[in-house]
Every structure is written in C-alpha cells, then in structure tokens.
Amino acid sequence: MTKTMIEFRNVKKSYGDKVVLKDLSLCVEKGDFVTVIGSSGCGKTSALKMVNGLLAPDSGDILINGENIRDKNQTQLRRNIGYAIQGSVLFPHMTVEQNIAYVPNLLNKKDRQKTKEAVNKWMGIVGLDQEMKHRYPSELSGGQQQRVGIARALAASPEILLMDEPFGAVDEITRAQLQTELQRIYSQTGITVLFVTHDIAEALKLGTKVLVMDRGGIQQYAAPKELLAHPATDFVQRLTEQQRRTCHLPDDRLGDCEYNGVGSMKG
C-alpha cells in the first residue's frame, strides 16, 4: 500500500489582489519524483515553499507524513527537508566541506565523525572529487556549485527534497549532466522529490509524475506517458505538442528521448 508523504488540502494563497493558488488539493506519494511545470505566476514556487514553511497558506493545510506542518517547529521542519534552488546559493565564506556539513552539524553537534562520513558520501554521489573539499564557491564552476548545493540539500538524509529550477543557471551540456546525476541519486535513495521547472522536456524526462499548473490550479497530474498520450486540457495539449513532434514519441514518455532544451515556458 502506498503512503502519502505530502498532502495539500484546499490550499489558497494570494499576494494582494493576485490569487496564485485557488484551492489546491494534491497528494504526493512516498518515493515519487514530481516535476511541477506551468506558466509564470501559476503558483508552483509558492506551493513548493509552503512544504517547508517558507510561505504560509492563507487557508488550507499542508501535511507531511499525515502531520500538519502548522503544528511543527518550523526550524526543525526545514532542517529535515532538503532544499535546492537555482544557483545553489552557497555560503561564500565556507568551503565545500563546510557548506555540505552545515545542516548535519546542526543536527549532530556531538557526532562530527558522522557528519564527516556524510560529506564524503554525498560528495561521491554527486560526482565531486574529494580534493574539492577545501575550495570555496568562487573557485568552482557553475555545475560544481550546483552539485555542492544538491549534496548540501541531501547531506542530512531528508525524506523530502524540494528543488526550485535548480539547473536554470547552467549551460545545456552541464544541465543534461546534472539531470543524469539527479536521476541516479533518486534511483539510489528513493527520496520523495518536488522539482519546479519551466521546461516541459525536463519535467517529462525527470518526473515519475508531472504536475501541470495554470492560473493557480491543477491542469493535470499524471505519469509522463499518460500526459503525452492523453492530455487532459487544451493547455496540456499545447504544452506537450512540441515534444511529440521533436521526439516522435506520441505514446511514450520523454525519458527515452535525449533532452533537447525545447519547450521552455519562461517569459
């Protein structure tokens, strides 16, 4: 029997007169990799930030493992959820090792050896050489910085990983490499992932499920194959049409087609 890891119940959110989430109800099962795509301002990033309490809904509830996050210590909540965003936002005054160790050090103040082992483990998993430990972010390439950001997000072995356009600031070759690394990490850990993107190709390639949003609501929530074969709305139809033509896979998931960078919804 599958277990619900994240649940949105009738969540609403507005910024002034602009409604970004109208009445969001959604269940994310444990171990799902959910990519979230939609036009700018559709509420996808707002929904993501509500999971770790960075934003609060105007009404409605968000539950993790069946527990309402309103009832949790917000600092502790965030320490137990991995969070990676575009550009990685590393601490510039800290080395690679110190950046990755930041959250484990907060959680395991008395067990530095455990933290050291976690740093070594995750550096290896994300493809960083051990000799990079003592470098600072300014001494790294964009792709290396992003790998450090992912390692930092995962170093405390969280059950949930939130990613907000994490590969948006790197070139296409590096982006494809990072996508492959992330797929491998997901297959090894089985972590539950929410991944926001503007690119339908990326969404279909990475996700076990794709959440398509528009104007504060859900257009479709389905596996990539289902989304391509049976788009639920005209919006989803238009979104996936170019991918069908490009990959020649009208009834299959895009994961079997090499990422080509087309289909972006930016702007």
Side-chain angles (χ1 to χ4, degrees):
M1 182 176 178
T2 57
K3 177 183 178 182
T4 298
M5 177 62 75
I6 305 167
E7 183 177 359
F8 293 83
R9 291 183 180 173
N10 307 113
V11 171
K12 299 178 181 178
K13 183 66 178 178
S14 299
Y15 298 103
D17 296 332
K18 181 176 176 58
V19 179
V20 293
L21 292 173
K22 293 179 179 178
D23 190 16
L24 181 64
S25 292
L26 174 74
C27 289
V28 176
E29 296 175 355
K30 180 180 175 64
D32 274 347
F33 191 131
V34 177
T35 50
V36 187
I37 187 165
S39 51
S40 296
C42 71
K44 54 188 183 296
T45 292
S46 294
L48 188 82
K49 289 183 176 181
M50 288 180 188
V51 175
N52 63 356
L54 290 176
L55 283 178
D58 297 334
S59 62
D61 296 293
I62 296 132
L63 288 74
I64 295 178
N65 279 325
E67 298 182 359
N68 198 317
I69 66 170
R70 294 181 189 271
D71 302 327
K72 291 182 169 290
N73 177 285
Q74 297 300 292
T75 300
Q76 193 65 32
L77 172 73
R78 291 174 198 134
R79 288 177 181 174
N80 289 311
I81 297 176
Y83 186 50
I85 62 176
Q86 185 177 133
S88 75
V89 194
L90 301 176
F91 300 117
H93 62 290
M94 292 185 179
T95 63
V96 167
E97 182 176 25
Q98 291 168 336
N99 266 283
I100 297 172
Y102 185 75
V103 174
N105 277 335
L106 293 174
L107 298 175
N108 303 296
K109 295 181 179 180
K110 296 181 179 180
D111 195 345
R112 299 300 184 186
Q113 182 60 34
K114 185 176 181 180
T115 296
K116 184 176 180 180
E117 291 171 358
V119 170
N120 292 337
K121 168 189 171 182
W122 286 106
M123 284 188 68
I125 288 176
V126 302
L128 290 169
D129 294 333
Q130 294 294 314
E131 60 90 18
M132 292 183 179
K133 275 185 183 180
H134 305 296
R135 293 189 191 179
Y136 289 89
S138 61
E139 300 173 304
L140 305 176
S141 69
Q144 289 169 338
Q145 288 183 30
Q146 202 62 61
R147 284 182 169 88
V148 175
I150 294 171
R152 184 177 68 180
L154 292 169
S157 298
E159 289 188 295
I160 297 170
L161 175 62
L162 307 178
M163 308 189 83
D164 192 0
E165 296 190 73
F167 308 147
V170 296
D171 62 83
E172 288 188 13
I173 294 175
T174 302
R175 186 172 186 167
Q177 292 171 344
L178 288 168
Q179 289 170 347
T180 299
E181 292 291 337
L182 183 58
Q183 286 177 313
R184 181 174 56 79
I185 291 167
Y186 171 70
S187 67
Q188 289 179 2
T189 63
I191 192 172
T192 304
V193 182
L194 280 184
F195 184 106
V196 168
T197 179
H198 273 97
D199 197 302
I200 183 61
E202 184 169 68
L204 291 166
K205 177 179 181 179
L206 294 177
T208 60
K209 292 182 181 176
V210 181
L211 173 64
V212 182
M213 298 181 66
D214 188 44
R215 299 180 182 179
I218 296 174
Q219 293 287 308
Q220 191 166 357
Y221 182 47
K225 181 177 179 179
E226 175 69 15
L227 203 78
L228 285 168
H230 305 290
T233 67
D234 289 342
F235 182 84
V236 180
Q237 173 77 28
R238 293 193 302 271
L239 187 62
T240 58
E241 186 174 1
Q242 187 175 9
Q243 295 309 308
R244 289 195 191 87
R245 292 198 306 266
T246 302
C247 296
H248 308 292
L249 294 172
D251 297 314
D252 207 347
R253 97 175 252 178
L254 187 66
D256 297 326
C257 173
E258 185 177 355
Y259 171 73
N260 53 29
V262 300
S264 175
M265 297 193 67
K266 282 195 173 181

